[in-house]
Amino acid sequence: MGIHTYFQSLTDLERIIRCPGKFKFQEHSVSAHSWKVVQYAKTLADIEESNGVNVDWKKLYEITSSHDYGEIFIGDIKTPVKHYSLELRAMLQKVEEGMVAHFIDEHIPEQFQPIFRRQLREGKDDSVEGRILEVADKLDQVYEAIAELQRGNSEKEFIVMYRSALIKIKGIELHCVTYFLEHILPDIVREASRSPIDIEQITKEALAS
């Protein structure tokens, strides 16, 4: 019982594989994804600060490191499924939030419960930190998808993942998004130019949509 239960539960994130049910050259766990999101977010936040934006670093670290904790209870739902409709997405989020809340009530000592409720909440919102989390989360989708496409994985899911992540990123108003589109994405596309899949064309279509 207690915080030990929370610490112990973190191991479960190492066992949950992202994008389940599809052939992949390289598997990615939710735990590894969360670690990478934190790393992306740090650099994205630095870019924001270099442009005069104030960043709440404590909030940023809390929401990026814990943003997928709820998947311990419901697993990683396939992207096309969980985004099939706004209603379905809202229902899944409600279930996830309810199970996280129940876990906190059941296992976390009362004096720490407000902290855990803040840290384990859905962190994507209109704040600078929430938008950085959204970009960092989608950025990892870009890298996961591009790694498969570069190897010639023709599973349609990875093309959809790559395209939808780019569309989402380009629609977020942040200085780091402009930097990504102008300086990082061209390097990604150039490196993937030898792929049997026309990533350049898919990228152009996504950015034009």
Side-chain angles (χ1 to χ4, degrees):
M1 297 294 288
I3 291 179
H4 162 67
T5 305
Y6 167 70
F7 286 163
Q8 194 174 46
S9 73
L10 297 176
T11 302
D12 293 341
L13 291 175
E14 299 176 17
R15 303 189 183 104
I16 300 174
I17 300 301
R18 286 168 58 78
C19 195
K22 294 295 181 181
F23 168 76
K24 296 179 285 291
F25 286 103
Q26 183 177 353
E27 300 278 18
H28 297 273
S29 70
V30 172
S31 180
H33 163 72
S34 294
W35 183 86
K36 288 185 290 181
V37 167
V38 174
Q39 307 312 309
Y40 300 142
K42 286 195 302 182
T43 299
L44 298 176
D46 283 332
I47 294 171
E48 291 303 308
E49 284 199 330
S50 72
N51 284 276
V53 177
N54 292 322
V55 176
D56 183 338
W57 285 89
K58 185 175 188 292
K59 177 182 178 181
L60 183 69
Y61 280 124
E62 286 183 347
I63 63 176
T64 54
S65 61
S66 301
H67 77 284
D68 275 341
Y69 180 78
E71 291 189 8
I72 283 178
F73 306 107
I74 67 171
D76 182 42
I77 309 298
K78 292 182 180 180
T79 296
V81 174
K82 64 185 176 184
H83 294 296
Y84 176 75
S85 70
L86 292 176
E87 293 80 7
L88 178 58
R89 179 60 184 152
M91 288 173 62
L92 289 170
Q93 185 171 328
K94 185 175 181 180
V95 171
E96 184 176 302
E97 289 175 349
M99 298 191 77
V100 170
H102 177 74
F103 176 84
I104 292 172
D105 290 339
E106 189 79 10
H107 297 289
I108 302 302
E110 188 172 352
Q111 68 266 37
F112 297 118
Q113 287 183 7
I115 297 173
F116 274 77
R117 289 193 185 98
R118 184 187 73 242
Q119 292 180 347
L120 302 184
R121 73 188 189 283
E122 171 57 64
K124 295 174 183 175
D125 56 27
D126 290 332
S127 67
V128 171
E129 298 77 21
R131 283 179 285 151
I132 290 174
L133 167 58
E134 183 75 71
V135 175
D137 191 36
K138 297 305 179 186
L139 187 55
D140 197 42
Q141 284 189 17
V142 167
Y143 277 106
E144 286 185 9
I146 208 75
E148 294 298 317
L149 296 175
Q150 274 186 285
R151 291 175 170 89
N153 189 336
S154 59
E155 287 275 9
K156 183 180 178 181
E157 182 122 353
F158 295 106
I159 296 176
V160 172
M161 181 189 296
Y162 177 70
R163 182 186 290 119
S164 63
L166 284 184
I167 292 172
K168 182 65 177 182
I169 289 172
K170 79 181 182 70
I172 298 173
E173 292 187 16
L174 286 170
H175 297 287
C176 60
V177 169
T178 301
Y179 188 92
F180 167 74
L181 295 175
E182 293 180 355
H183 300 285
I184 301 174
L185 185 57
D187 287 341
I188 293 174
V189 174
R190 187 161 44 249
E191 189 175 284
S193 61
R194 295 182 181 179
S195 169
I197 297 169
D198 193 345
I199 293 173
E200 184 176 2
Q201 183 60 35
I202 295 171
T203 303
K204 287 180 179 178
E205 291 173 357
L207 297 180
S209 63

